[in-house]
Amino acid sequence: MSSSLAVKPQQETPPPARPRTKRQASTLPLVAPSVVVLLLWMIVPLVMTLWFSFQRYNLLNPQARRFIGIENFTFILTDSALWTSIAITIILVVSVLVITIGLGTLLAVLFDQDFYGRGVARVLAISPFFVMPTVSALIWKNMLMHPVNGLFAQITTGLGLGAIDWFASVPLLAIIIIVSWEWLPFALLILLTAIQSLDRDQLEAARMDGANAIALFRFVMLPHLSRAISVVAMIETIFFLTIFAEIFVTTGGGPGLATTNLAYYIFLKALLEFDVGGASAGGLIAVILANVVAIFLMRSVARNLDT
């Protein structure tokens, strides 16, 4: 005779709640002050810029300040100098990105090889990144690109080609060269770090399969560097949108508007024309453009990281 016992499922009793200690207390009072300061740090200037953008406010006649609605935006958007500065900003950003990422990739592959004096060469290649923009602009202006005493003028004159006045004949190219010299070490540093993380067994297997140097770079190294290249492009683009010191020291935005980017255009409005309202409207337009570019770049980088 068999018997069956019905076993009632035992209900699990939740563990008794542990009393909250002082260490587990809310950290909100500790974090809140820094968060409030950070928010004020960001929001107050933005709100002031937004407020002045709707005001007619010229520092030459501050008593005549009054609310004028979107008139500043209408004036700025119909100003041909604004679109010229945006075009120069795009040319400057794209050109420097191509130079720094292209040369940075090639130099990263070169410095990854074993050769005598590699450590010293790496230090010398990265050193320009630690020079302040104002100092590097002065070095290039007075010691390298000066049409009389500069190193380039001495070389071209010695070759019988005549001196080149860089900041008068090709001012935008001169600015592109200076900014590229400053930021090439940054791209090199990031890409060299990325290429050193490449699996050496993978390279050796590709070599045993008969891949030459070009095939190794095209099908092994370059795909491995794609994420690092995306990160370099995003960081550099954000900084290149605000290039100012190199233009201020060397060309002053000229000749004419030849080197006036968006940041320098806002500077001209604010501190040379004393038009605070117009400069604030231009600043808000620059903020919108920068955010559009940043969102696009961050999505591109995130998509690249997911693959």
Side-chain angles (χ1 to χ4, degrees), residues 155-205:
I155 294 174
T156 54
T157 303
L159 295 174
L161 302 176
I164 301 175
D165 191 349
W166 291 84
F167 299 110
S169 303
V170 283
L172 187 56
L173 176 61
I175 297 296
I176 291 173
I177 293 174
I178 294 173
V179 179
S180 300
W181 179 79
E182 294 172 355
W183 281 89
L184 177 60
F186 173 77
L188 169 61
L189 191 63
I190 301 297
L191 296 174
L192 180 59
T193 304
I195 206 170
Q196 286 179 337
S197 66
L198 179 62
D199 188 1
R200 300 297 163 179
D201 293 338
Q202 188 178 357
L203 284 175
E204 190 61 29

Side-chain angles (χ1 to χ4, degrees), residues 10 19 52-53 97 125 145 167 169 191 249 256 292-293 301 303 307:
Q10 296 181 353
F52 283 120
S53 66
L97 279 177
M145 291 182 172
F167 299 110
S169 303
L191 296 174
V249 172
V292 170
V293 173
V301 171
R303 192 181 304 117
T307 56

Side-chain angles (χ1 to χ4, degrees), residues 33-281:
S34 59
V35 173
V36 171
V37 170
L38 185 60
L39 289 176
L40 291 176
W41 187 274
M42 293 185 298
I43 291 177
V44 170
L46 183 61
V47 171
M48 291 181 65
T49 304
L50 187 62
W51 169 255
F52 283 120
S53 66
F54 294 105
Q55 303 282 321
R56 172 166 292 171
Y57 184 29
N58 195 299
L59 294 177
L60 295 178
N61 189 14
Q63 290 78 17
R65 190 177 70 181
R66 63 184 177 86
F67 181 80
I68 58 172
I70 61 171
E71 193 173 317
N72 282 325
F73 292 94
T74 305
F75 175 76
I76 289 292
L77 291 174
T78 55
D79 186 8
S80 60
L82 172 71
W83 300 105
T84 302
S85 65
I86 292 176
I88 290 174
T89 302
I90 295 173
I91 294 173
L92 184 59
V93 171
V94 173
S95 301
V96 179
L97 279 177
V98 170
I99 293 173
T100 55
I101 293 178
L103 287 180
T105 304
L106 296 178
L107 288 176
V109 175
L110 174 64
F111 284 126
D112 186 52
Q113 309 302 316
D114 190 16
F115 60 88
Y116 178 75
R118 185 176 64 173
V120 177
R122 285 180 177 178
V123 173
L124 292 176
I126 295 172
S127 296
F129 188 62
F130 302 104
V131 181
M132 290 183 292
T134 305
V135 177
S136 63
L138 287 172
I139 291 173
W140 281 86
K141 179 181 180 181
N142 297 320
M143 299 179 66
L144 297 176
M145 291 182 172
H146 194 279
V148 178
N149 301 318
L151 178 62
F152 296 163
Q154 298 296 326
I155 294 174
T156 54
T157 303
L159 295 174
L161 302 176
I164 301 175
D165 191 349
W166 291 84
F167 299 110
S169 303
V170 283
L172 187 56
L173 176 61
I175 297 296
I176 291 173
I177 293 174
I178 294 173
V179 179
S180 300
W181 179 79
E182 294 172 355
W183 281 89
L184 177 60
F186 173 77
L188 169 61
L189 191 63
I190 301 297
L191 296 174
L192 180 59
T193 304
I195 206 170
Q196 286 179 337
S197 66
L198 179 62
D199 188 1
R200 300 297 163 179
D201 293 338
Q202 188 178 357
L203 284 175
E204 190 61 29
R207 287 194 186 96
M208 292 178 66
D209 288 340
N212 55 20
I214 297 177
L216 284 175
F217 176 76
R218 170 68 180 82
F219 297 106
V220 180
M221 293 182 181
L222 205 54
H224 179 74
L225 292 176
S226 59
R227 295 179 180 179
I229 290 174
S230 300
V231 173
V232 170
M234 183 183 69
I235 296 175
E236 287 190 345
T237 301
I238 293 172
F239 281 94
F240 293 164
L241 290 173
T242 59
I243 291 174
F244 177 81
E246 296 84 352
I247 298 173
F248 180 78
V249 172
T250 56
T251 64
L257 297 174
T259 55
T260 300
N261 64 349
L262 191 53
Y264 203 84
Y265 172 80
I266 297 170
F267 165 76
L268 293 177
K269 284 290 177 187
L271 297 181
L272 292 184
E273 298 179 9
F274 303 104
D275 184 6
V276 177
S280 299

Side-chain angles (χ1 to χ4, degrees), residues 16-29:
R18 299 175 59 184
R20 298 180 64 183
T21 62
K22 290 183 178 180
R23 184 176 294 275
Q24 293 173 326
S26 174
T27 57
L28 182 61

